[in-house]
Amino acid sequence: MNELLLMKSELVVTAIIFILLFIKINDITSNETVLKIINALLVLNVGAGFCCMDVTGELFSGMFKTNVLIAFEKNMLNIGTLLISLLSYEWLKNHRHLPEFFVLLLSSLLGMFFMISSGNFLIFYLGLELSTIPIAALCNFDLEKKQSSEAAMKMIMSSAFSSGILLFGISMMYGTTGTLSFAELPQYLDGSPLQVFSFILLFTGFAFKLSVVPFHLWTADVYEGSPVAVTSFLSVISKGSIIFIFLTTLYNAFAPMAEVWYNLIFLLSVLTMVIGNLFALRQQNMKRFLAFSSIAQVGFILIGISGGGQNGISSSVYFVLIYIFSNLGAFGAVQLISSFSGKETIDSYKGLYQTNPLLSWVLTISLFSLAGIPPTAGFFGKFFLLSSGAEKGNYILITIAALNMIVSLYYYLRVVRAIFMDKNEQPIASIKGSIYEKAGLLICVIGIIAVGLYSHFYEYIYSLSIF
Amino acid sequence: MFDKLTLSLIPLLPLLSFLMLGLFGRKVFKNFSGIIGTGALLVSAGLSLSTAYNYFFVSGKVDGVYQKITALKISWLEFSPGVSIDIGILLDPISVMMLVVVTFVSLMVHIYSLGYMKGEERFSTYYAFLGLFTFSMLGLVMSSNIFQIYIFWELVGVSSFLLIGYYFDKPSAVAAAKKAFIVTRFADLGFLIGILVLSFNAHTLDFETLIQRLTDPNSEYMRSAIAPAFLGFSSLTWGLMLVFIGGAGKSAMFPLHIWLPDAMEGPTPVSALIHAATMVVAGVFLVGRLFPVFAISCPGALELVAYTGALSALFAAIIACTQTDIKRVLAYSTMSQIGYMMFALGVSGYGNEDGLGYMASMFHLFTHAMFKALLFLGAGAVIHFVHSNEMNDMGGLRKHMPITHITFLIACLAIAGVPPLAGFFSKEEILLAAFHHNKLIYGIALITSGITAFYMFRLYFNIFWSKEFHSHGEHHGEGGIVMMLPLILLSLGAAFAGFIPFSQLVTSDGKPFETVLHLSFSVAPVLLGLAGIFIALRLYKTQNDIANKISSSLSGFYSSAYHKFYIDEVYLFITHKVIFNLLGKPAAWFDKTIVDGFINRLGSSSEKISEETKTLQSGQVQQYAAYFLAGAIGLGIIFIYVLTLK
Amino acid sequence: MTAQDIIFYLLAAFTLVTGFLAVTTTRIFRSAIFLLFSLIGIAGIYFWLEYEFIAAVQIVVYVGGIVVLIIFSIFLTQEAGANLPDTTITKKITGGIAAACGFGFTLLQVLQHNFTGTTEPGIEPSVANIGNRMLGVNEFGYSLPFEVVSILLLAAMVGCIVIALKTPVQK
Amino acid sequence: MTEIGLNHILFVSIALFFIGVYGFLTRRNMIMMLMSIELILNSVNLNFIAFNKYLWANKMDGLFFTIFIIAIAAAEAAVAIAIIINLYRSHRSIDVEDASDLKF
């Protein structure tokens, strides 16, 4: 029984996948009813996630392991998935392949669960592929749109290439150490050049999924072309899951290589922040804009990760929690506007405040949180990331990060300005979202405010961050 | 002692007013919004005054020393072992003084705006923003924790962004709001890193503990903090300098002042509140808050404060002489006066009479709040009347606006340091402190005080005397009782605030001391001030084209000076040729193109780089893969051959 | 040089040459066939290494599955695929340089590395051993990855069907 | 016994890997790119088998990794081909250089 409890998140998600397949095969109900069922199931899934969280243990001789932190991370991903489902109501309502959409989405989620629970390169790799391949298919879910299939093609091609390189790294790592298990790895690591090289190849696999420069080039294209629901899943849930497993592998499996990855992260986080910000400056399409801004955010998370130790874990996980709410809030607003008016450029957002004041505030709060302006949670998240980085005394990195925060502020304000201050002859018409979308946005805003101001969240995560 | 509830109400009332007006203002309260906001602030101001009375005269002093009282402390987050982030209220002489200043000036602005902003479409939004600003400012001054102060510091930034950009249909206002926000945020990040540095050294974020740990030379915290860390400075020095950068940004010190003149695009009462009395002195307050650390442990950082302040004071005063937009004159004047406060802190020592500069700085902060708010509100009345910010459109207004005229004159005399008005006393103390510590700064301060008198009276004469005022169409008088009452109240402050015995109340270590005013010492600054006034009088009281003609061409000056050697021309030569053309114009140019231009160029060049690197994102997935491979191999080469870590 | 060596060299040369031809031949159908040969060559190396089961899987899945799938899709897209303009020479050169540098660098690292293996006795890669482990849940059991892969295949199937299904004409 | 050592096989696999990379970087036909990916995955498989055989025969990690890679390669190829066919429908082309509407 206890062994089943260890895998309960995975089992629940698998069960939902099969329920959905059943619904599809029998073709029983209309889209709206199916969405009701799905949302109810996802709420149940979130609820189930919070039950019996404090089981710790291993299964399959260490291939699968879980603890409270991992359970909490899975809950975060569950909440994010629920939010995406709520926020995409309008788009999903009319989609011909609704159950399949969720089958793929949840398969991907399941893959992430396996990935962050993995104690072994094999499960890690399988989880990674299970989380990637369905997303590539999902990118194509705007079936009539040319851009959607282009995005899917770019996604599958780049990710196949990346996983080829990742696998090459894993195979070399296996050759030099003789083990695939994360727990056994540290004792075989001796820092020989081939190991360093295979570690770097492995690292690029993470970096690709995290959109770390220079492995980020697919990001913006795929984000722009895909349906917003998929984009937000990619940029929030997928990134979050990679950060979690990244932390585990770096701090545990690759602990003896700390010097290498510390320098690697230092180098790449600077590059990532600078490039992400520079490109975000120029974007007109909101999805593309958010893509580059999320690249810059990843640069920030890397700073926290470079701190190492308990602070590194807790600040990164805490930031991901905030990032889920802030980014989904922003994507939710973009999604709503896009599905009602089809407009996605920043220019078309001009004068939004006149017609949709509440939505404007939601978007503004989310962007402020992404920019790290107090008292939104984003500020606290960035503060803890910076202080985790500062613990290593790397003030150069902190200073560059601070400079980048200014640049990012500049472009976030550009959007806010368009919404509130610029004049527009024909602003986007007043949007009446459904109860689902309202609930989703409300949860995001509450999350953005509460996670920052209610310190218990950080304390809780900090208390879990022991490994 | 101090009732927690009462104290918390002081900031919470404006917050409540913000929430009410922000959420329901437009629909429910409409035109009552102003009354609600003002009412909330009236109560808040009353509470602050009673708190101040209670603190200074009843229970604040124990054994002859004003205590630091932590009236409220809620532990918000145990951040890492031993370091907790608290939300609290710290009462000490400067925070109590700031409470009074902030609530009083804010109340005046609230009342004044009832008339000034009447009929605005977003009237209730305006009051909501005022409430938010006041709340954040009060939270800032009451903070007991350096992290708390930072949060409110940022909130002040956000709310001032909203207020400056209030006229959002004016592109210049929007640009100014954005600039103010971004420049101050830039500085704030310095502050944030400074906080990180200090807190990592002291292992605390709490002000009292932090100051105690970083001033005790025997503590282990101190030893690690003063060890050389980076570029030869100790991490303590770095921390304090970074914190000062934050303060310099908010307080518009050179070269981070570029946002201040532009910020004048906001409504004039807002300028009175933000850019005269409250937000801009936050930097001074911050340095004052950490003053023991600066003075005892790190005189080097204090030196930086002193020179930055002195440079800003002189630089801004010179530029103020060249401006024709009356609000810009006041903006530069503010920058100059805050420079005074800064260098006063910079030349101060810690404890007893040594702390004269500290006392003087806080004194000047107090008196400056009065007369500068008055000047802005007076300027607002004038702008309201003339519908223009330009000096050239004004003149001869004394008959049309008698109350404004008199109060404005009082303020000008006060800022010029004419006894016995408020500015005289505080300035004397500053000069005295500077005289004892640093002769160079004393000299700069003296010159600046002369220039100050000159440009203030240039402003005064240009507005109220000069030519006759030709009214175009309808004018609606001075603006009624709601606009005049704040002017009168503030002018009382500007006239009599100097008699408050500050050295008995606000000192660096809490112990009162006696100050003596040496009449002989006052002669020089007062004479210089009067000279400045006199020159302005000769030049601007009546319209005379000699001034323009002479200043326009060099040859013109020589011929007329050769043929008719009038004393006027000597003045003119000194003022227009030397100050205006030789110093003022280049300084203004430098300010506009180099300092300000640097930031603009930074923006445009990063957009340019962004434009040029766009080919990186070519849309070709094979090219992406090539970059991917190159990245992987490149990193491999770097980490195996270049960064050999073994 | 023993016969075994010669067989290996032949297999290796066959694999590499056909692999190279697969990525350089202009005619797409031919390159698919070369790919087929190359994959068979690898299966040959597996045989040579005495990993018969893997060799069998290689032939069944790759040769019988993937390559057929690829050939099938070539037919489906033939009218566009047959006459593609040739790759530009710059692209070929940059691609070639990138690949050659990568090859040289990686090979250098591998050759410089002193591989140390285990001294414990090996396990026979027999079908019985593999089968027992594949479904084992105890130590060295691979039933979890097996289940994960099964879900992955399911998801991939669902995805393929949705995407490749011909969209009915909208009314 | 044979003289063929680990390095010989690694040479083959690395060469095959970069042949695959070369194909991926240069071929314009998306199906060709997919075929290059298969070469890359095969070279990795060869690596795993070689290491398993020569160095770590006491466990069967490498062998099983290979089996799973083969399974995943099949799934990946299937999805990729579905996407390519869909793309072909809308673009009437499977030239990767044509599919570059999304850029900058």
Side-chain angles (χ1 to χ4, degrees):
Chain A
M1 190 57 210
N2 192 36
E3 291 183 344
L4 279 181
L5 266 184
L6 286 175
M7 291 189 82
K8 85 186 142 99
S9 305
E10 289 76 9
L11 293 174
V12 173
V13 173
T14 318
I16 297 177
I17 292 175
F18 282 104
I19 292 173
L20 289 173
L21 282 175
F22 181 77
I23 290 174
K24 176 65 196 178
I25 291 166
N26 293 295
D27 207 4
I28 10 184
T29 43
S30 71
N31 257 5
E32 292 194 24
T33 329
V34 174
L35 260 177
K36 269 184 199 145
I37 298 171
I38 288 169
N39 283 327
L41 287 172
L42 288 176
V43 170
L44 272 179
N45 182 28
V46 171
F50 281 100
C51 294
C52 321
M53 264 176 72
D54 49 349
V55 280
T56 302
E58 291 185 348
L59 286 177
F60 302 101
S61 57
M63 274 189 189
F64 180 95
K65 62 179 183 198
T66 187
N67 57 39
V68 192
L69 180 66
I70 289 176
F72 183 74
E73 289 167 350
K74 287 177 185 168
N75 287 338
M76 282 161 61
L77 302 183
N78 275 334
I79 292 172
T81 313
L82 171 66
L83 283 175
I84 288 173
S85 158
L86 291 175
L87 293 170
S88 317
Y89 181 81
E90 187 59 35
W91 180 74
L92 289 171
K93 201 172 70 181
N94 303 317
H95 203 281
R96 279 187 296 113
H97 300 286
L98 179 64
E100 292 96 320
F101 177 85
F102 278 97
V103 167
L104 292 177
L105 197 74
L106 291 173
S107 308
S108 174
L109 185 68
L110 187 63
M112 292 166 194
F113 283 0
F114 280 118
M115 185 169 70
I116 57 183
S117 272
S118 63
N120 178 305
F121 277 121
L122 180 56
I123 296 291
F124 161 71
Y125 170 68
L126 293 177
L128 187 76
E129 289 295 336
L130 180 52
S131 71
T132 312
I133 294 176
I135 298 185
L138 284 177
C139 288
N140 211 343
F141 256 54
D142 264 341
L143 289 162
E144 286 81 26
K145 280 195 189 157
K146 233 177 136 181
Q147 293 194 333
S148 183
S149 43
E150 184 185 331
M153 185 277 290
K154 285 183 173 167
M155 175 84 200
I156 191 88
M157 286 298 175
S158 330
S159 76
F161 186 73
S162 146
S163 70
I165 290 188
L166 168 78
L167 279 174
F168 196 78
I170 294 180
S171 74
M172 285 299 167
M173 198 52 99
Y174 167 68
T176 53
T177 60
T179 181
L180 290 174
S181 149
F182 291 159
E184 289 173 17
L185 194 67
Q187 65 195 83
Y188 298 108
L189 287 178
D190 53 11
S192 66
L194 185 60
Q195 270 181 8
V196 172
F197 183 52
S198 44
F199 170 71
I200 286 170
L201 294 183
L202 235 161
F203 185 92
T204 62
F206 290 106
F208 168 79
K209 292 282 285 180
L210 275 180
S211 315
V212 172
V213 177
F215 312 106
H216 70 290
L217 289 153
W218 60 281
T219 317
D221 295 2
V222 173
Y223 282 19
E224 189 184 347
S226 310
V228 188
V230 182
T231 306
S232 45
F233 190 77
L234 262 175
S235 91
V236 179
I237 314 293
S238 162
K239 272 191 188 164
S241 67
I242 293 282
I243 286 161
F244 299 146
I245 183 65
F246 195 41
L247 286 168
T248 324
T249 44
L250 282 189
Y251 291 2
N252 293 327
F254 291 106
M257 284 193 152
E259 220 175 338
V260 176
W261 58 252
Y262 177 74
N263 286 305
L264 199 59
I265 287 178
F266 174 29
L267 201 73
L268 292 183
S269 81
V270 171
L271 214 59
T272 306
M273 282 187 291
V274 172
I275 298 278
N277 278 330
L278 273 182
F279 275 75
L281 276 177
R282 204 163 27 77
Q283 301 306 325
Q284 262 302 316
N285 182 294
M286 270 306 278
K287 277 150 81 185
R288 237 180 141 72
F289 165 79
L290 285 172
F292 282 111
S293 96
S294 78
I295 290 175
Q297 302 283 351
V298 166
F300 246 94
I301 296 180
L302 289 181
I303 295 173
I305 295 177
S306 79
Q310 200 173 359
N311 272 335
I313 294 185
S314 59
S315 64
S316 313
V317 174
Y318 181 67
F319 189 81
V320 172
L321 180 63
I322 294 163
Y323 180 72
I324 286 178
F325 288 121
S326 326
N327 225 9
L328 285 183
F331 270 120
V334 172
Q335 161 98 313
L336 204 56
I337 293 166
S338 157
S339 52
F340 271 92
S341 68
K343 291 179 178 164
E344 279 178 1
T345 58
I346 294 176
D347 278 341
S348 62
Y349 280 36
K350 283 181 180 168
L352 185 69
Y353 182 64
Q354 294 155 24
T355 47
N356 296 294
L358 271 177
L359 193 61
S360 305
W361 277 112
V362 172
L363 189 53
T364 307
I365 290 173
S366 310
L367 291 177
F368 271 21
S369 180
L370 288 173
I373 296 168
T376 55
F379 163 71
F380 297 99
K382 287 204 170 153
F383 176 77
F384 292 129
L385 287 179
L386 282 181
S387 57
S388 162
E391 216 174 12
K392 279 255 167 108
N394 196 341
Y395 293 116
I396 302 172
L397 183 58
I398 305 290
T399 312
I400 296 171
L403 286 174
N404 274 292
M405 268 173 89
I406 305 293
V407 180
S408 73
L409 187 68
Y410 179 78
Y411 58 73
Y412 286 121
L413 281 184
R414 195 166 68 119
V415 182
V416 174
R417 194 181 78 175
I419 294 171
F420 282 89
M421 297 172 171
D422 286 348
K423 280 239 156 88
N424 194 350
E425 296 299 308
Q426 293 165 308
I428 290 162
S430 194
I431 291 168
K432 280 264 172 286
S434 69
I435 182 84
Y436 297 97
E437 280 139 347
K438 282 178 186 155
L441 289 176
L442 187 70
I443 294 172
C444 289
V445 170
I446 291 174
I448 291 170
I449 305 292
V451 173
L453 292 183
Y454 186 50
S455 64
H456 182 71
F457 282 102
Y458 184 77
E459 279 165 1
Y460 180 66
I461 293 172
Y462 189 79
S463 72
L464 298 183
S465 307
I466 313 156
F467 49 90
Chain B
M1 282 288 286
F2 295 95
D3 183 21
K4 280 178 194 168
L5 181 70
T6 322
L7 282 172
S8 347
L9 272 181
I10 296 175
L12 288 183
L13 280 170
L15 177 67
L16 192 70
S17 128
F18 161 67
L19 290 176
M20 271 168 59
L21 298 179
L23 292 176
F24 313 113
R26 279 182 132 181
K27 288 176 187 144
V28 185
F29 299 117
K30 285 177 192 146
N31 295 332
F32 293 103
S33 307
I35 308 288
I36 291 171
T38 314
L41 216 74
L42 189 64
V43 180
S44 184
L47 292 175
S48 311
L49 273 177
S50 83
T51 307
Y53 176 77
N54 193 357
Y55 182 84
F56 282 122
F57 304 111
V58 183
S59 53
K61 193 148 63 168
V62 179
D63 299 332
V65 179
Y66 282 111
Q67 300 295 308
K68 287 189 172 174
I69 301 165
T70 309
L72 176 75
K73 187 171 177 178
I74 303 162
S75 189
W76 181 72
L77 171 65
E78 181 88 3
F79 167 40
S80 67
V83 183
S84 72
I85 298 174
D86 304 325
I87 299 292
I89 295 179
L90 176 67
L91 289 184
D92 70 344
I94 57 170
S95 69
V96 174
M97 177 197 80
M98 285 301 290
L99 277 187
V100 175
V101 170
V102 174
T103 50
F104 180 66
V105 175
S106 178
L107 178 63
M108 292 302 116
V109 169
H110 270 80
I111 296 174
Y112 183 87
S113 303
L114 287 175
Y116 190 86
M117 301 300 283
K118 201 158 88 185
E120 286 284 338
E121 198 187 336
R122 292 157 71 234
F123 188 65
S124 51
T125 318
Y126 173 78
Y127 270 95
F129 288 166
L130 276 189
L132 177 66
F133 177 81
T134 312
F135 159 70
S136 357
M137 197 62 213
L138 288 170
L140 192 155
V141 298
M142 291 167 103
S143 298
S144 67
N145 184 293
I146 196 165
F147 191 81
Q148 184 190 354
I149 213 173
Y150 182 77
I151 292 177
F152 282 106
W153 187 269
E154 289 284 336
L155 262 183
V156 166
V158 173
S159 45
S160 81
F161 167 73
L162 293 171
L163 281 170
I164 296 171
Y166 174 75
Y167 292 124
F168 64 81
D169 38 10
K170 239 166 60 180
S172 57
V174 176
K178 210 167 147 181
K179 187 171 179 181
F181 195 35
I182 289 179
V183 172
T184 52
R185 259 267 323 150
F186 171 74
D188 294 351
L189 284 162
F191 184 16
L192 182 62
I193 300 171
I195 290 176
L196 290 174
V197 174
L198 288 184
S199 61
F200 271 111
N201 277 305
H203 290 279
T204 180
L205 289 164
D206 187 63
F207 271 125
E208 268 186 277
T209 331
L210 183 101
I211 290 170
Q212 190 205 335
R213 285 184 181 166
L214 290 182
T215 50
D216 176 9
N218 299 321
S219 71
E220 52 172 315
Y221 304 106
M222 237 346 231
R223 242 171 281 138
S224 74
I226 54 172
F230 186 60
L231 291 181
F233 292 111
S234 67
S235 57
L236 181 66
T237 315
W238 273 113
L240 289 176
M241 286 202 301
L242 287 165
V243 168
F244 175 64
I245 288 177
K250 274 268 188 296
S251 285
M253 291 290 97
F254 183 87
L256 294 170
H257 64 277
I258 48 174
W259 60 272
L260 184 62
D262 291 11
M264 294 298 131
E265 294 289 345
T268 310
V270 166
S271 307
L273 179 61
I274 299 182
H275 307 124
T278 51
M279 184 176 99
V280 287
V281 296
V284 180
F285 177 80
L286 181 66
V287 177
R289 175 54 83 222
L290 290 171
F291 187 71
V293 188
F294 273 99
I296 298 174
S297 320
C298 194
L302 205 57
E303 203 101 308
L304 177 75
V305 174
Y307 283 106
T308 313
L311 178 65
S312 304
L314 181 63
F315 182 74
I318 291 171
I319 295 179
C321 297
T322 67
Q323 300 296 315
T324 55
D325 179 324
I326 62 171
K327 283 183 77 184
R328 280 181 179 258
V329 175
L330 292 178
Y332 280 108
S333 155
T334 304
M335 177 184 163
S336 168
Q337 297 300 310
I338 292 167
Y340 260 89
M341 299 171 206
M342 277 291 182
F343 77 70
L345 285 173
V347 297
S348 176
Y350 183 74
N352 291 332
E353 275 84 23
D354 274 349
L356 179 66
Y358 178 87
M359 185 282 281
S361 171
M362 292 303 142
F363 195 8
H364 196 59
L365 192 162
F366 186 78
T367 57
H368 174 258
M370 299 296 159
F371 56 67
K372 191 46 72 57
L374 177 54
L375 283 170
F376 268 112
L377 292 185
V382 170
I383 293 169
H384 205 54
F385 186 78
V386 188
H387 294 296
S388 163
N389 283 9
E390 282 300 310
M391 241 181 227
N392 300 334
D393 300 338
M394 300 165 187
L397 289 177
R398 66 187 184 283
K399 291 172 200 144
H400 300 269
M401 333 181 61
I403 301 176
T404 315
H405 171 225
I406 298 296
T407 52
F408 204 88
L409 178 60
I410 291 173
C412 285
L413 287 171
I415 197 174
V418 175
L421 296 165
F424 166 71
F425 293 96
S426 51
K427 235 179 217 182
E428 286 318 281
E429 305 285 8
I430 291 180
L431 289 171
L432 196 61
F435 184 73
H436 286 312
H437 277 81
N438 191 327
K439 292 287 187 298
L440 173 66
I441 288 180
Y442 172 72
I444 294 177
L446 210 54
I447 295 168
T448 309
S449 87
I451 303 176
T452 306
F454 169 71
Y455 69 72
M456 281 319 299
F457 276 87
R458 170 177 174 255
L459 182 68
Y460 165 75
F461 285 120
N462 262 319
I463 297 176
F464 294 102
W465 297 78
S466 188
K467 54 195 178 227
E468 282 300 305
F469 184 73
H470 304 289
S471 71
H472 314 282
E474 287 286 304
H475 285 285
H476 33 63
E478 282 192 272
I481 181 72
V482 286
M483 279 171 72
M484 288 307 110
L485 182 71
L487 290 184
I488 294 165
L489 286 176
L490 283 169
S491 69
L492 290 179
F496 301 115
F499 295 106
I500 297 173
F502 245 69
S503 60
Q504 297 295 317
L505 303 172
V506 181
T507 55
S508 56
D509 53 356
K511 294 191 195 105
F513 64 92
E514 290 294 329
T515 48
V516 205
L517 266 186
H518 305 283
L519 272 182
S520 57
F521 182 80
S522 308
V523 171
V526 170
L527 275 185
L528 261 173
L530 288 176
I533 296 175
F534 183 66
I535 296 171
L537 176 81
R538 291 300 294 262
L539 287 179
Y540 300 107
K541 186 179 172 210
T542 50
Q543 221 177 1
N544 57 26
D545 49 350
I546 295 176
N548 293 331
K549 201 197 280 174
I550 287 173
S551 66
S552 62
S553 75
L554 199 69
S555 59
F557 170 70
Y558 277 128
S559 58
S560 47
Y562 186 76
H563 294 297
K564 321 165 233 177
F565 193 70
Y566 292 128
I567 196 75
D568 268 4
E569 267 90 51
V570 179
Y571 292 141
L572 278 173
F573 177 73
I574 294 168
T575 56
H576 269 81
K577 273 297 161 208
V578 176
I579 295 181
F580 194 88
N581 279 353
L582 275 179
L583 284 173
K585 283 251 180 88
W589 176 86
F590 177 75
D591 190 44
K592 219 173 173 52
T593 31
I594 307 292
V595 185
D596 203 0
F598 175 70
I599 300 290
N600 290 336
R601 222 163 297 142
L602 209 64
S604 61
S605 62
S606 56
E607 276 184 24
K608 210 172 184 180
I609 295 173
S610 154
E611 195 61 34
E612 275 167 10
T613 47
K614 77 177 184 187
T615 42
L616 189 65
Q617 196 83 39
S618 61
Q620 299 291 347
V621 71
Q622 288 177 320
Q623 202 170 326
Y624 297 174
Y627 281 116
F628 189 114
L629 185 72
I633 304 289
L635 285 174
I637 292 171
I638 289 173
F639 277 87
I640 292 170
Y641 295 113
V642 184
L643 289 175
T644 25
L645 298 158
K646 287 234 156 177
Chain C
M1 202 183 270
T2 62
Q4 249 184 325
D5 291 2
I6 294 170
I7 293 172
F8 174 78
Y9 287 125
L10 283 176
L11 280 172
F14 177 71
T15 310
L16 291 182
V17 169
T18 48
F20 187 73
L21 287 173
V23 299
T24 47
T25 312
T26 29
R27 303 283 287 277
I28 184 161
F29 193 75
R30 274 189 204 167
S31 55
I33 300 300
F34 281 128
L35 176 71
L36 184 73
F37 286 146
S38 183
L39 297 179
I40 290 174
I42 290 176
I45 297 179
Y46 293 154
F47 265 117
W48 184 85
L49 285 166
E50 291 160 351
Y51 276 57
E52 289 88 1
F53 178 71
I54 300 293
V57 171
Q58 169 88 2
I59 289 186
V60 171
V61 179
Y62 268 111
V63 180
I66 297 176
V67 171
V68 171
L69 193 65
I70 285 174
I71 292 178
F72 208 63
S73 62
I74 290 173
F75 284 137
L76 275 176
T77 58
Q78 199 183 20
E79 54 184 288
N83 301 316
L84 274 186
D86 201 22
T87 319
T88 55
I89 192 78
T90 24
K91 203 167 175 181
K92 274 185 182 166
I93 290 171
T94 44
I97 290 173
C101 288
F103 175 68
F105 181 71
T106 315
L107 195 64
L108 189 67
Q109 297 311 317
V110 169
L111 293 181
Q112 279 179 351
H113 192 266
N114 183 25
F115 286 102
T116 47
T118 181
T119 48
E120 290 172 37
I123 300 170
E124 175 79 3
S126 65
V127 179
N129 275 342
I130 292 173
N132 279 335
R133 297 215 167 174
M134 180 62 96
L135 296 177
V137 289
N138 304 318
E139 206 179 353
F140 306 125
Y142 284 85
S143 58
L144 180 68
F146 187 77
E147 295 303 326
V148 178
V149 163
S150 64
I151 291 178
L152 173 61
L153 290 172
L154 173 74
M157 222 152 66
V158 172
C160 289
I161 292 169
V162 174
I163 294 168
L165 214 61
K166 194 139 182 135
T167 324
V169 181
Q170 297 281 318
K171 279 159 202 164
Chain D
M1 245 327 260
T2 164
E3 295 167 16
I4 306 293
L6 179 61
N7 284 345
H8 289 73
I9 300 181
L10 289 184
F11 177 87
V12 175
S13 72
I14 294 169
L16 201 61
F17 184 86
F18 284 99
I19 288 173
V21 167
Y22 172 76
F24 187 83
L25 294 182
T26 52
R27 299 313 301 258
R28 299 178 69 153
N29 189 322
M30 287 175 204
I31 295 175
M32 285 298 309
M33 288 167 72
L34 201 63
M35 286 156 65
S36 311
I37 293 282
E38 300 305 334
L39 283 181
I40 291 176
L41 293 178
N42 267 285
S43 100
V44 173
N45 286 347
L46 194 53
N47 261 348
F48 271 114
I49 294 294
F51 286 131
N52 201 25
K53 165 93 182 172
Y54 283 90
L55 302 174
W56 312 105
N58 58 333
K59 287 188 280 177
M60 291 162 86
D61 288 339
L63 191 148
F64 275 101
F65 217 119
T66 303
I67 295 176
F68 289 114
I69 290 175
I70 293 175
I72 286 191
E76 207 166 50
V79 173
I81 284 175
I83 290 172
I84 290 172
I85 288 176
N86 190 285
L87 189 84
Y88 174 66
R89 270 196 212 122
S90 57
H91 285 65
R92 305 310 303 171
S93 157
I94 51 167
D95 185 350
V96 70
E97 290 181 17
D98 287 349
S100 55
D101 291 347
L102 301 163
K103 59 187 166 191
F104 303 138

